[in-house]
Amino acid sequence: GSGKTIYLNKDNLNKGIFGYKTIPNNLLELDLFNQKINWTGVKDIKIINDKIFISVTKEIKKNCYTISVMSAKINFDFLKFEDFFVSNQCVSLDKEIKAFKYFQGYQTGGRIINYRNDLVLTVGDFNDWTLPQNKNSIFGKILAIDLNSKKSKILSLGHRNPQGLLLVSDRKLLVSTEHGPKGGDEVNIIKLIPEDSQIAKNYGWPKASYGVHYDVVPINSFTKKIAPLYKSHKKYGFIEPSKVFSPSIGISEIIKYELSENKNSYFVSSLKEKKLFKLTFDNDFKNSNIEETLEINERIRDIIFDEKLNNYYMYLENS
């Protein structure tokens, strides 16, 4: 929520020296961060070619928020961020308990990856259950945004809050990790649709989930119709998750386990459980098994791999 940009020397970091430098930027001038609201701020960061991209929550009209993408040309003296992708759609802070229209600013998504000439962005549902199944809405979706034209298309829909995303380029698929409701965190396999196709796959939320509603949710005619949480995806025309964590682990990022002999082996990080889960898929990516867990004892927000140094770096919350 501070908008601070820092960079550091990895060689020093591996010697145990955490020294960093700050790069000034214009983010605070853009009035993006409301310090009274914990959930505003930068959600992810990605360098593509000579630009740095960030996803950030943005108030586009009074008390109405969306997830947007900004970019700046890499410059170690000053980073001038400008809008790259801003939808005119937003979710209002207004609440309606009967229909459980109950804004949740933590369910934003915001993970960014690069695929060919697209920036791929996950967008959460902000807890508005009417939006993930609406094909005219960006919420509860994974979007592909053309880096040149900035036009977007929906790669998949029916998501709640996907906060991890991995490209498996040789298989032309994405692996997405998604926060479920009470229980039911998911790992989903998303086949990248051909460029000439407009058929996006549907992953079911809020119609189907292996989790259950939180205790505060009223079970009434609205919730039964909009969010019945069927315990089968396939039966109702949706794609089954490859893996379900029940109870939830507070799932965050997913990354390839580079040192494994099994090419379909990955690490899944967690917030609530404070662990890394070694997850191995079958050849079809339809089923997966947890082979090992590693105790980290900190909430893991992000994890990346450095090919040069053969190291993983984790971004931990508590310490």
Side-chain angles (χ1 to χ4, degrees):
S2 70
K4 179 185 286 188
T5 310
I6 69 168
Y7 73 101
L8 48 85
N9 183 298
K10 287 187 291 185
D11 291 331
N12 287 339
L13 186 64
N14 285 298
K15 296 174 185 174
I17 303 169
F18 186 73
Y20 64 87
K21 295 181 180 179
T22 300
I23 307 175
N25 64 47
N26 63 328
L27 288 175
L28 287 181
E29 300 169 19
L30 301 176
D31 196 28
L32 292 167
F33 313 130
N34 185 337
Q35 300 298 342
K36 296 179 181 179
I37 304 176
N38 291 333
W39 48 262
T40 61
V42 175
K43 304 303 174 185
D44 198 13
I45 176 174
K46 187 66 63 180
I47 291 173
I48 304 173
N49 301 323
D50 63 343
K51 288 187 176 180
I52 181 169
F53 292 83
I54 62 170
S55 58
V56 63
T57 45
K58 190 166 188 176
E59 185 181 29
I60 62 172
K61 59 183 180 182
K62 181 67 174 176
N63 292 331
C64 201
Y65 286 82
T66 190
I67 191 86
S68 65
V69 179
M70 307 190 76
S71 67
K73 192 163 185 178
I74 293 175
N75 183 313
F76 287 89
D77 296 320
F78 185 80
L79 291 170
K80 184 180 180 181
F81 284 96
E82 298 175 335
D83 286 336
F84 168 76
F85 174 79
V86 185
S87 171
N88 59 4
Q89 300 176 25
C90 59
V91 180
S92 169
L93 292 179
D94 296 339
K95 299 178 181 181
E96 185 184 340
I97 301 300
K98 182 180 179 181
F100 205 69
K101 184 182 177 184
Y102 200 90
F103 183 92
Q104 173 55 276
Y106 291 105
Q107 286 173 215
T108 61
R111 185 65 73 177
I112 302 170
I113 66 167
N114 177 214
Y115 174 62
R116 294 181 176 174
N117 199 47
D118 288 335
L119 181 148
V120 180
L121 173 71
T122 71
V123 185
D125 70 351
F126 285 74
N127 213 37
D128 186 331
W129 297 344
T130 65
L131 300 178
Q133 291 297 320
N134 181 348
K135 294 181 180 179
N136 294 315
S137 166
I138 66 164
F139 295 99
K141 311 294 191 300
I142 296 179
L143 305 177
I145 306 164
D146 188 284
L147 287 167
N148 296 320
S149 69
K150 302 181 184 179
K151 291 181 179 179
S152 66
K153 71 175 181 179
I154 295 173
L155 292 178
S156 59
L157 66 152
H159 300 289
R160 184 176 182 268
N161 186 17
Q163 289 197 331
L165 196 61
L166 174 72
L167 170 67
V168 185
S169 55
D170 60 331
R171 301 293 294 272
K172 294 184 179 179
L173 55 83
L174 301 173
V175 186
S176 167
T177 55
E178 181 171 342
H179 291 278
K182 188 177 181 181
D185 284 356
E186 296 180 354
V187 179
N188 285 306
I189 306 301
I190 299 154
K191 292 182 180 178
L192 289 161
I193 57 179
E195 292 182 6
D196 58 351
S197 173
Q198 297 298 319
I199 302 173
K201 300 297 184 181
N202 194 328
Y203 290 79
W205 177 258
K207 297 288 187 181
S209 172
Y210 288 101
V212 297
H213 286 303
Y214 286 103
D215 296 341
V216 296
V217 176
I219 306 302
N220 55 31
S221 59
F222 176 86
T223 51
K224 287 178 180 178
K225 178 181 178 181
I226 299 296
L229 302 192
Y230 299 129
K231 296 307 169 225
S232 169
H233 292 59
K234 186 177 180 180
K235 182 179 177 181
Y236 296 93
F238 306 122
I239 306 231
E240 290 283 351
S242 175
K243 178 68 181 176
V244 175
F245 289 87
S246 189
S248 296
I249 61 171
I251 202 163
S252 47
E253 181 64 301
I254 183 166
I255 192 169
K256 188 172 177 59
Y257 179 28
E258 299 287 351
L259 308 180
S260 174
E261 295 180 359
N262 188 325
K263 66 177 183 178
N264 290 339
S265 190
Y266 299 84
F267 282 133
V268 172
S269 59
S270 66
L271 299 162
K272 178 183 173 185
E273 288 296 309
K274 304 180 181 181
K275 297 176 182 177
L276 281 180
F277 295 82
K278 182 184 171 187
L279 195 66
T280 299
F281 294 92
D282 61 18
N283 286 331
D284 295 327
F285 279 85
K286 290 184 178 179
N287 300 293
S288 58
N289 293 303
I290 298 172
E291 291 192 349
E292 189 179 356
T293 58
L294 301 172
E295 296 278 353
I296 305 299
N297 296 315
E298 300 272 12
R299 287 168 59 87
I300 310 163
R301 179 57 70 179
D302 206 354
I303 178 170
I304 61 172
F305 180 71
D306 186 296
E307 294 180 358
K308 177 184 174 183
L309 299 172
N310 246 17
N311 279 353
Y312 284 93
Y313 296 95
M314 285 178 288
Y315 199 102
L316 309 176
E317 287 194 356
N318 301 52
S319 295

